[in-house]
DNA sequence: AGCACGATTAACT
DNA sequence: GTTAATCGTGCTC
């Protein structure tokens, strides 16, 4: 049932490639031995200290340590005093870059997701970076977890390919106070659900 | 030591 | 469309 997680080599390259290639892959979380999973359908790239939207703009600090760590590990941070965000670290160690996972399409453990997202409509279960963390019970304890191993109860498995024609590219969201060119640079990637051939077990919103 | 603000969300009007 | 929630982080004093 469980496939081998994507290897370190997948993450150890330009964060833009990783951001693009993570679309369609399967994010898996093991909760009490139960698989809770979904296909990644929206991502954003954050690259280096020069990217003024990237947390690494402040350089290496206790908070950004994970960004400078090995590729294939998680960078999970807390924001607005309320929400957790999941990122995948990319590029070689000491080169700060990460991919924000912004949305997934649920495929396994729907009952578990429903229980954790009780107050929301099914279409709002996992269509936001903080919502998917709530749905998969991801919090700060997952910071720096190795996503290339199943040991950490959180990993990413290979999923179906997404062709170029089914990808929508645009500027990153939620960074309106960041100066140009960073505010408008098209580093957000989304699967167009209207044209993507859905995996049989995917549960569309 | 104090302060402004954030890679968002849900619950309003 | 607007706004409160809620706190860690990084910067200034």
């Amino acid at each position: 049932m469980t496939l081998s997680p994507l290897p370190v080599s997948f993450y150890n390259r330009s964060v833009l490639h990783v951001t693009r290639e993570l679309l369609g892959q399967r994010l898996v979380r093991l909760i009490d031995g139960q698989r809770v999973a979904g296909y990644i359908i929206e991502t954003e790239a954050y690259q280096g200290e020069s990217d003024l939207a990237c947390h690494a703009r402040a350089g290496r600090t206790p908070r950004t340590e994970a960004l400078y760590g090995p590729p294939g590990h998680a960078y999970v941070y807390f924001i607005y005093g309320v929400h957790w965000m999941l990122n995948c670290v990319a590029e070689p160690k000491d080169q700060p870059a990460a991919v924000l996972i912004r949305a997934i399409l649920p495929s396994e453990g729907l009952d578990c997701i429903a229980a954790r997202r009780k107050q929301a409509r099914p279409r709002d279960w996992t269509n936001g970076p903080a919502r998917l963390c709530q749905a998969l019970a991801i919090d700060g304890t997952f910071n720096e977890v190795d996503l290339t191993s199943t040991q950490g109860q959180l990993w990413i498995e290979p999923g179906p390919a997404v062709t170029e024609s089914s990808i929508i590219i645009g500027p990153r969201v939620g960074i309106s106070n960041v100066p140009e060119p960073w505010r408008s640079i098209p580093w957000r990637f989304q699967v167009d659900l209207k044209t993507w051939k859905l995996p049989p077990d995917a549960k569309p919103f």
Side-chain angles (χ1 to χ4, degrees), chain A residues 77-116:
Chain A
Y77 68 90
F78 189 57
I79 195 167
Y80 296 117
V82 186
H83 304 300
W84 294 101
M85 305 274 165
L86 171 66
N87 297 251
C88 307
V89 175
E91 305 193 0
K93 185 168 161 24
D94 295 321
Q95 214 168 298
V99 180
L100 173 68
I101 308 300
R102 291 193 57 89
I104 64 174
L105 202 52
S107 62
E108 299 172 62
L110 279 279
D111 53 334
C112 184
I113 291 175
R116 297 200 144 270

Side-chain angles (χ1 to χ4, degrees), chain A residues 112-129:
Chain A
C112 184
I113 291 175
R116 297 200 144 270
R117 299 284 300 140
K118 201 175 172 204
Q119 72 282 11
R121 304 166 63 112
R123 60 168 294 127
D124 292 327
W125 278 353
T126 57
N127 63 344

Side-chain angles (χ1 to χ4, degrees), chain A residues 102-166:
Chain A
R102 291 193 57 89
I104 64 174
L105 202 52
S107 62
E108 299 172 62
L110 279 279
D111 53 334
C112 184
I113 291 175
R116 297 200 144 270
R117 299 284 300 140
K118 201 175 172 204
Q119 72 282 11
R121 304 166 63 112
R123 60 168 294 127
D124 292 327
W125 278 353
T126 57
N127 63 344
R131 289 169 176 169
L132 74 88
C133 282
Q134 201 178 321
L136 299 194
I138 296 167
D139 62 18
T141 62
F142 288 85
N143 192 39
E144 300 191 290
V145 157
D146 184 359
L147 299 172
T148 69
S149 160
T150 57
Q151 296 302 306
Q153 323 266 73
L154 180 67
W155 65 90
I156 300 177
E157 296 174 359
V162 180
T163 56
E164 292 302 318
S165 59
S166 288

Side-chain angles (χ1 to χ4, degrees), chain A residues 9-37:
Chain A
S9 57
F10 177 90
Y11 301 96
N12 191 20
R13 50 189 173 145
S14 160
V15 69
L16 283 177
H17 284 288
V18 179
T19 306
R20 153 70 180 86
E21 293 297 321
L22 274 174
L23 294 179
Q25 315 288 5
R26 186 163 43 194
L27 178 65
V28 184
R29 168 88 168 87
L30 210 55
I31 302 177
D32 298 326
Q34 184 191 1
R35 283 173 59 98
V36 183

